[in-house]
Amino acid sequence: MSDPVRSVVRRFPGVPTLEGAGVRLRRSFSNPEVPLFDPFLLLDRFGSTDPADYMAGFPWHPHRGIETVTYVLDGRVAHGDTLGNEGVIGPGDVQWMNSGSGIIHQEMPQRTEGLFEGFQLWVNLPAKEKMSTPAYRGLTATDFPAQSTDAGARVTVIAGKYGGVEGPVKGIPVDPTYLDVTIPAGGTFDLPATAGYTAFAHGIEGSGTFEGTDSGPVVRGETVLFGPGGAVRARAGDSGFRSLFVTGRPLHEPVAWYGPIVMNTRSELVTALQELDHGEFIHHRRPIRED
Ligand code: FE
């Protein structure tokens, strides 16, 4: 017997938040929601046509114990890190960065004429991987397989699998699926989610409803957490529905969180902060280019 269709158990409207050096964004979930989204820690959506809302960017800052996933919908972000990576990512591009034992990086939006918009998702690392060697994956829009279903939905696979197509981000400890799904007006879409895994969706554009849930359509900017079960069934409203769909294997481990550092115990946080103070935070480094 297959697992029942999942229902929405909580809705998160997104809270206006000032982050980095003064970027106005909307925070879907974060520290207060632990462990609801385990293994996911945070989802931020940035989006504005006013450069004053984003140009301050995210100057050099550390991370330890997590993976940060940046997905750009519109606009451009320049980045650099202590592994020596640098570049500019644009629409449809993804950075999947494993901070492991420690990375210091910056993410600086570039001034654009139109909209600057995208997401940052934080994915937790299991305790045994928190002090692993940092790694950076930079992927461009053309790296992601896109699929169309018989019902006219379009699915971009960033991580995990959909319909036998596997996304390019592989080997992540919590086995994530990260999809960008567009369903035409009135269309339906079934997404298989592994039983026991955490699953959530975020409305990018338009609106849609989920089977088994009678709390009204999910709209742009809203995040919904699904309860236990198997697949999720979405139906698009009159203007279609574009959403992120994310699932992952929960870790069920203690979370000790201080700003951009997420470990398992308070003493690990103290160690991290002491290492930052003493210039010993970075265990794996390639020089940052100076020019
Ligand atoms: Fe960061």
Side-chain angles (χ1 to χ4, degrees), residues 56-286:
F58 306 88
W60 295 103
H61 60 276
H63 287 288
R64 176 177 285 180
I66 61 172
E67 302 191 81
T68 67
V69 181
T70 307
Y71 180 28
V72 177
L73 299 181
D74 277 294
R76 305 194 104 67
V77 186
H79 65 94
D81 67 37
T82 42
L83 292 175
N85 299 297
E86 60 177 6
V88 177
I89 67 168
D93 298 348
V94 170
Q95 293 182 5
W96 197 297
M97 196 273 291
N98 171 15
S99 76
S101 62
I103 201 165
I104 296 177
H105 74 161
Q106 67 170 345
E107 300 150 299
M108 301 302 288
Q110 310 290 287
R111 185 178 290 273
T112 62
E113 283 304 311
L115 187 62
F116 172 75
E117 185 163 45
F119 293 97
Q120 185 160 95
L121 174 69
W122 288 11
V123 183
N124 207 357
L125 286 169
K128 64 179 178 1
E129 302 283 342
K130 282 192 179 287
M131 294 303 285
S132 59
T133 304
Y136 175 91
R137 289 179 177 84
L139 301 130
T140 60
T142 53
D143 292 329
F144 302 110
Q147 282 219 117
S148 293
T149 68
D150 293 344
R154 188 178 158 80
V155 185
T156 300
V157 185
I158 292 168
K161 277 187 197 159
Y162 179 78
V165 171
E166 189 170 14
V169 179
K170 297 172 188 170
I172 306 298
V174 301
D175 189 29
T177 294
Y178 190 139
L179 308 178
D180 180 341
V181 181
T182 301
I183 313 171
T188 58
F189 179 79
D190 282 358
L191 191 111
T194 303
Y197 278 32
T198 300
F200 71 87
H202 175 92
I204 299 177
E205 278 172 30
S207 69
T209 53
F210 292 97
E211 188 172 304
T213 306
D214 54 10
S215 56
V218 172
V219 297
R220 174 187 171 88
E222 201 175 2
T223 300
V224 292
L225 176 67
F226 297 101
V232 166
R233 174 166 293 174
R235 179 179 294 276
D238 293 342
S239 55
F241 187 40
R242 182 181 179 192
S243 67
L244 294 183
F245 190 90
V246 181
T247 74
R249 180 176 60 82
L251 292 170
H252 303 300
E253 292 176 345
V255 171
W257 185 334
Y258 183 85
I261 300 166
V262 185
M263 303 301 287
N264 299 108
T265 67
R266 190 179 155 77
S267 78
E268 289 167 338
L269 291 181
V270 171
T271 299
L273 295 174
Q274 285 171 345
E275 289 184 359
L276 268 174
D277 267 359
H278 300 145
E280 296 163 352
F281 184 78
I282 298 301
H283 296 206
H284 302 87
R285 173 192 290 276
R286 286 204 305 258

